[in-house]
């Protein structure tokens, strides 16, 4: 009997040491990684330090989270982050820019506006921080589609196909994990915060996404937007924004998603512009491209200035719009 107890204790101790070793190893490899289990939306917390963002964003059962509308310092009643005012009352063209945080922060949009220098064109920024492709399209169709516009420029990020669930606190303060098209799952807050193995298990449970699924998801979202635009005589263009790393430095899944985005875009969208050549050229020249050093998702002003003329030429935005009655 004593040997049984000793052997059981050895097994428990070995298993515990293995778990501890895995946790330590994962922390060393991914010191800030959610490991696919979900990225907590800190702006939905109730702490005073994040209270100002909680006035701008809210949980949403259909798309995980979204901006509140008509909130001072946030999004207006039409779901826009920013609206440039044309220099005169004779507005001949309205261009709506969609996308994630790259669009929302407005560097590329402002660079295009500066280069065009067209007082008869109004620039509408409908980008939303942390959105992926499905969220961008769903939010547009629900809240922004009633806008009067004659062109949509959809800036799609290289990470916009990620299946990472979103972790957020509901109205009761309970932490939940949410993946589009999947039911909400209660998350053990302590384990989510302290255990990397728990995060991996949660990711496996929530998300089973194949390469074919990724391609199909991109194709369907582009098709939804293209159909909307075609029915209303609106031009719909896509600008593909790469993760700000050389191609050989990308993770395998990021390379896969980029190829899926390019393939789906060129199959569905008439004008699909890749900014990868802009990135490659700047990296070869040794030029900095990141908004903040180490941030491979958001461009600096130099990248935006280099990208703007490429976008303008590829989409034919330099053509002067004809007079129009809105």
């Amino acid at each position: 009997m004593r040997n049984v107890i000793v052997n059981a204790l050895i097994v428990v101790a070995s298993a515990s040491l293995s778990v501890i070793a895995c946790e330590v190893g994962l922390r060393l490899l991914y010191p800030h990684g959610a490991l696919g289990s979900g990225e907590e939306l800190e702006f939905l917390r109730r702490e005073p330090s994040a209270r100002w963002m909680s006035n701008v964003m809210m949980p949403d059962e259909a798309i995980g989270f979204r901006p509140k509308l008509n909130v001072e310092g946030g999004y207006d009643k039409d779901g826009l982050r920013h609206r440039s005012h044309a220099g005169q009352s004779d507005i001949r063209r309205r261009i709506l820019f969609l996308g994630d945080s790259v669009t929302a922060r407005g560097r590329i949009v402002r660079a295009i506006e500066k280069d065009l220098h067209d007082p008869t064109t109004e620039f509408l920024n409908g980008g939303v921080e942390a959105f992926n492709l499905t969220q961008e399209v769903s939010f547009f169709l629900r809240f922004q589609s009633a806008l009067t516009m004659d062109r949509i420029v959809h800036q799609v990020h290289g990470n916009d196909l990620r299946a990472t669930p979103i972790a957020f606190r509901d109205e009761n303060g309970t932490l939940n994990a949410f993946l589009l098209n999947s039911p909400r799952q209660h998350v053990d807050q302590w384990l989510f915060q302290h255990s990397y193995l728990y995060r991996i298990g949660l990711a496996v449970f929530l998300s089973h996404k194949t390469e074919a699924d990724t391609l199909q998801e991109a194709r369907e979202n582009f098709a939804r937007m293209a159909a909307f635009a075609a029915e209303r005589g609106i031009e719909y263009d896509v600008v593909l924004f790469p993760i700000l790393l050389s191609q050989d430095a990308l993770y395998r899944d990021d390379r896969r998603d980029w190829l899926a985005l390019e393939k789906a875009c060129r199959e569905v969208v008439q004008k699909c512009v890749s900014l990868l050549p802009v990135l490659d050229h700047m990296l070869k020249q040794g030029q900095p491209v990141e908004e903040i050093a180490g941030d491979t998702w958001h461009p600096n002003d130099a990248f935006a200035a280099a990208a703007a003329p490429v976008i303008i030429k590829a989409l034919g935005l330099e053509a002067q719009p004809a007079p129009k009655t809105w």
Side-chain angles (χ1 to χ4, degrees), residues 60-65 131-138 160 162-166 177-184 206-207 209 217 221 224:
D60 185 279
E61 286 287 348
I63 57 176
F65 70 100
F131 263 12
N132 63 27
L133 179 58
T134 299
Q135 290 171 305
E136 291 158 12
V137 173
S138 297
D160 275 1
R162 291 188 176 184
T164 303
I166 301 155
F178 180 89
L179 181 65
L180 296 182
N181 303 319
S182 298
R184 182 189 293 190
L206 284 174
S207 179
K209 196 172 186 181
E217 177 185 327
N221 279 299
R224 291 168 71 192

Side-chain angles (χ1 to χ4, degrees), residues 95-269:
I95 303 176
L96 172 64
F97 290 83
L98 301 179
D100 63 2
S101 52
V102 172
T103 304
R105 298 183 188 189
R107 292 183 185 274
I108 294 177
V109 178
R110 288 192 297 271
I112 293 173
E113 182 177 1
K114 179 182 177 182
D115 284 3
L116 283 179
H117 193 60
D118 178 9
T120 67
T121 295
E122 189 172 32
F123 297 82
L124 313 178
N125 190 330
V128 181
E129 293 269 347
F131 263 12
N132 63 27
L133 179 58
T134 299
Q135 290 171 305
E136 291 158 12
V137 173
S138 297
F139 184 73
F140 167 79
L141 292 174
R142 281 174 61 188
F143 299 106
Q144 299 168 324
S145 58
L147 284 161
T148 301
M149 71 200 99
D150 60 356
R151 191 167 203 141
I152 299 170
V153 177
H154 193 171
Q155 296 183 103
V156 181
H157 201 295
N159 64 14
D160 275 1
L161 289 181
R162 291 188 176 184
T164 303
I166 301 155
F168 65 90
R169 299 174 192 277
D170 60 22
E171 61 279 358
N172 299 315
T174 302
L175 191 64
N176 293 268
F178 180 89
L179 181 65
L180 296 182
N181 303 319
S182 298
R184 182 189 293 190
Q185 300 291 333
H186 172 68
V187 176
D188 187 290
Q189 180 177 337
W190 190 92
L191 284 175
F192 184 84
Q193 181 178 354
H194 295 97
S195 174
Y196 277 36
L197 290 176
Y198 179 80
R199 298 179 193 183
I200 291 176
L202 184 63
V204 171
F205 178 76
L206 284 174
S207 179
H208 303 279
K209 196 172 186 181
T210 67
E211 186 171 350
D213 293 335
T214 300
L215 176 61
Q216 185 61 24
E217 177 185 327
R219 189 184 287 120
E220 288 176 355
N221 279 299
F222 287 138
R224 291 168 71 192
M225 290 299 301
F228 172 91
E231 289 173 2
R232 293 158 179 81
I234 299 170
E235 293 185 77
Y236 173 65
D237 310 312
V238 172
V239 175
L240 298 178
F241 181 89
I243 294 174
L244 300 173
L245 290 168
S246 62
Q247 292 302 291
D248 56 1
L250 289 175
Y251 290 114
R252 179 182 62 83
D253 287 350
D254 289 331
R255 286 196 297 270
R256 177 204 67 185
D257 286 355
W258 178 258
L259 292 174
L261 277 175
E262 278 201 311
K263 180 177 175 59
C265 185
R266 299 194 188 285
E267 287 179 356
V268 177
V269 182

